[in-house]
Structure formats: structure tokens, C-alpha cells
Amino acid sequence: MIKKITGVAATAAMLIALTGCAAGGDGGNGTDGGGDGDIVVGFSQVGAESGWRTANTIDVKAAFEEAGIELKFSDAQQKQENQIKAIRSYIQQQVDVIAFSPVVESGWDTVLKEAKDAGIPVVLTDRAVDSADTSLYVSFLGSDFIVEGERAGEWVKTEYADADKVNIVELQGTTGAAPANDRAEGLRNVIGDDPKFDIIASQTGDFTRAGGKQVMEAFLKSNPDIDLVYSHNDDMGLGAIEAIEAAGMVPGVDIKIVTVDAVKDGMQALADGKINFIVECSPLLGAQLVDVVKKVVAGETVEKRILTDETTFTQEQAIEALPDRKY
Ligand code: GYE
């Protein structure tokens, strides 16, 4: 801690110390106290929109409890304004680190600047922000959603290698969310140039099962000839299954489905043949987040981008993986 200087100079010096730390430099210890027991972290979660999110919340809470670090938790119910309020309240409470999963990519600069000015480092978990000034956060921990979309695209390409025409409908995640933007882009990166693939409809189902069902019902009414559903998560895919069955068709056979996440319910549907392929997106980010928080508080260098390890699942692989699946 910097001593013997006061007022504005002290604040400025502290900021420099923390910014150094934020940029991954040698930083210095930016907080008082030492043991893990003294650390307080404020976490603003997106909501409880999906099985993925529930698993993520459980994992993050458990990891902090195990580490003996106090976690202040708030659920933003998929609303950016709630997240901004939560972050401002964490700044007021002078927590040591703020972690959050930004519901959408844009519009964070002001509040992130407020955190920076208060000398509180911010860690992004799961979803990214599009801020040009990357010094506004110390690290971003989570998946590469473009790669996930590309993995879905590779499966589509192989599955329909011999087809002449493939009509695809897309269930998009929450509008403006990084995983929605990137999973849309990833699929198109792989199949975009091939005219036999036609994305005939694309709409948001907000990452929820109810949303997926409702949008799929509408798709089925206006498109008699759907070959494939590309769903940005399992939950919307599970909603689509209900809509397809209600329309008297067989999901996985009459209309194929590829999704992202690989939560238990999705994996069960894949094992049952109702979903045809799942790209994994791991919600188990708790341990890595604890690690980043400890390092940041200790003034150690942290990687600006920490990627999650992920795979893909076919039906046989889902059957094999299901008994040990934790979420
Ligand atoms: O895929 C979806 C959830 O941000 C990766 O959010 C996460 C996504 C996940 O609602 O199920």
C-alpha cells in the first residue's frame, strides 16, 4: 500500500498501482489485508434463463465457498440495467474484485470506468463486452463462442455432405449477447459460402425453453420445409422439440437439431435421438474464477483471456458421458 501521500495524489497513486495490476503488470498488492478470508467479491449473474446458467451459478458459489472467499451475488434477470445497478452497489461497498457475466456486449464503458476510477478490478466471466478500452477489465474467462458456432457448422457440413438443399432455421440467444452474436457468426463462417445451405428463418428465443418453443411454433407455421434447427443453446432446442412433436413430427428424424451447451437435459435428448449433435460449452467456471481473483488481489499477473476447454457430442458419446455428467 502506498503511504505518506494524501488526498488526490494518494488516489491517483493507488489507481496507477491498480491499473498496473489491471494491465497484467507487476502491480503490487492492491488491497488491504492478506488472507483469503479477507477478500470480498461482488458477482453479477445474467439471470436464471437456462440449465447452463443454473449450473454456472451453483459452480461459482461452491467454488468461492470452498475457497473461503466471501461472494456477494446478484441475479440480473437478463436485464442490463440490473447489472449496472449491482456493479454500482459493489463499487459503493468497496468490494475487492467485481466479477460479472455481461448479458449483452455493448454499453458497459461508463460503469466499468466507474469501477476503474474506484480502483476495483473487474473480471469478465462467460460473456465478453465490446469495450474498445480493454484496460477496463483485468481478464475475460470463458468459452470461444465463434469456435462453438464453427463446430456446429462443421457437423452440419458433414451431416449434409450429399444433400442438394438444406433449409435451416436458427433459434438465436438473447439479442446483443456475445454467445448469440458469435454462435451466429461461427455457423456462417463454415457454411456461409455454400448456396445449398439456406438459413430461411432466424429469431431470438432469449436462451429459454419457453422462448425456443414459441419461436419454433411460429417457424413451423410459416415454413413447411424445415430440415434443420440450429439452436444457440440446449434449452431453446428442448423447447423446439416440444413444438415439433406438437406439430406431429419426429424431432431428430423429420427435423434434425444441433445445439450448444451439453447440459444434462440436452444430453438426454441427444441420447434419445431427439437432438442430433451438441457442441459443448462448459459452465464450470468457478475454480478458474477463484484462481483469477486470488491472483488479482495478490497483485500477480493474470492472463487477459482465459479459454475454457470444450468438446462436442454425438449420440453415442452422449450415452457414454451421461452417467458422469455433473450438470
Ligand atoms: O450457452 C446459454 C446461457 O453465456 C454461454 O448463456 C452462456 C450462454 C449459454 O443462457 O445456455
Side-chain angles (χ1 to χ4, degrees):
M1 237 343 136
I2 293 139
K3 285 182 192 137
K4 287 186 209 135
I5 39 175
T6 49
V8 176
T11 316
M14 234 182 88
L15 271 178
I16 292 161
L18 282 164
T19 316
C21 163
D26 55 6
N29 193 343
T31 54
D32 304 312
D36 293 351
D38 298 322
I39 304 172
V40 180
V41 175
F43 184 81
S44 168
Q45 180 60 290
V46 169
E49 74 282 3
S50 65
W52 190 100
R53 189 64 53 197
T54 307
N56 178 249
T57 295
I58 291 170
D59 188 63
V60 167
K61 284 183 175 170
F64 278 91
E65 190 163 347
E66 201 186 304
I69 297 176
E70 185 183 338
L71 184 74
K72 293 179 185 290
F73 181 91
S74 60
D75 173 338
Q77 300 182 319
Q78 295 235 72
K79 292 203 176 77
Q80 182 171 35
E81 74 232 45
N82 292 345
Q83 288 200 295
I84 291 174
K85 263 188 224 152
I87 293 168
R88 290 205 166 118
S89 130
Y90 294 145
I91 295 171
Q92 232 167 29
Q93 296 172 61
Q94 295 182 300
V95 299
D96 295 298
V97 178
I98 293 171
F100 83 115
S101 289
V103 58
V104 291
E105 282 188 287
S106 302
W108 300 102
D109 289 19
T110 306
V111 74
L112 288 179
K113 181 99 193 343
E114 288 167 22
K116 190 177 172 184
D117 289 347
I120 302 175
V122 173
V123 180
L124 305 177
T125 75
D126 156 39
R127 296 186 184 177
V129 297
D130 64 3
S131 302
D133 179 2
T134 57
S135 79
L136 293 175
Y137 55 90
V138 286
S139 184
F140 166 38
L141 155 69
S143 312
D144 186 328
F145 303 130
I146 295 183
V147 168
E148 290 172 353
E150 288 172 349
R151 286 184 179 146
E154 293 298 345
W155 176 80
V156 171
K157 228 168 104 176
T158 313
E159 182 73 10
Y160 292 98
D162 300 327
D164 299 328
K165 183 85 208 304
V166 185
N167 287 332
I168 303 171
V169 295
E170 180 180 38
L171 295 170
Q172 291 225 4
T174 303
T175 305
N181 294 339
D182 294 354
R183 288 171 186 166
E185 186 180 328
L187 179 88
R188 286 161 181 80
N189 285 349
V190 178
I191 63 157
D193 287 341
D194 189 337
K196 81 176 181 190
F197 294 112
D198 197 357
I199 302 175
I200 55 173
S202 177
Q203 206 177 303
T204 181
D206 224 8
F207 277 133
T208 66
R209 210 174 279 211
K213 184 177 178 199
Q214 205 184 336
V215 173
M216 191 64 204
E217 281 165 359
F219 281 169
L220 286 163
K221 273 190 196 128
S222 43
N223 304 282
D225 208 9
I226 299 169
D227 297 303
L228 174 73
V229 177
Y230 172 44
S231 174
H232 289 187
N233 78 344
D234 288 349
D235 280 80
M236 293 189 295
L238 292 163
I241 288 174
E242 289 176 34
I244 293 168
E245 283 174 342
M249 282 180 276
V250 184
V253 178
D254 296 331
I255 296 178
K256 292 187 178 168
I257 305 177
V258 52
T259 67
V260 185
D261 272 356
V263 294
K264 236 188 195 138
D265 288 354
M267 293 285 273
Q268 189 58 59
L270 176 58
D272 296 343
K274 295 182 176 190
I275 289 178
N276 303 80
F277 191 71
I278 301 184
V279 177
E280 185 183 41
C281 177
S282 175
L284 306 179
L285 305 178
Q288 280 171 300
L289 179 58
V290 164
D291 202 46
V292 172
V293 162
K294 282 183 178 171
K295 283 188 175 150
V296 167
V297 170
E300 286 171 31
T301 307
V302 292
E303 281 172 66
K304 195 83 193 181
R305 178 75 176 98
I306 301 168
L307 268 175
T308 325
D309 243 0
E310 282 148 357
T311 182
T312 58
F313 293 97
T314 60
Q315 184 178 29
E316 296 79 56
Q317 289 164 334
I319 292 168
E320 209 176 303
L322 255 173
D324 301 323
R325 204 78 186 152
K326 287 200 199 77
Y327 55 91

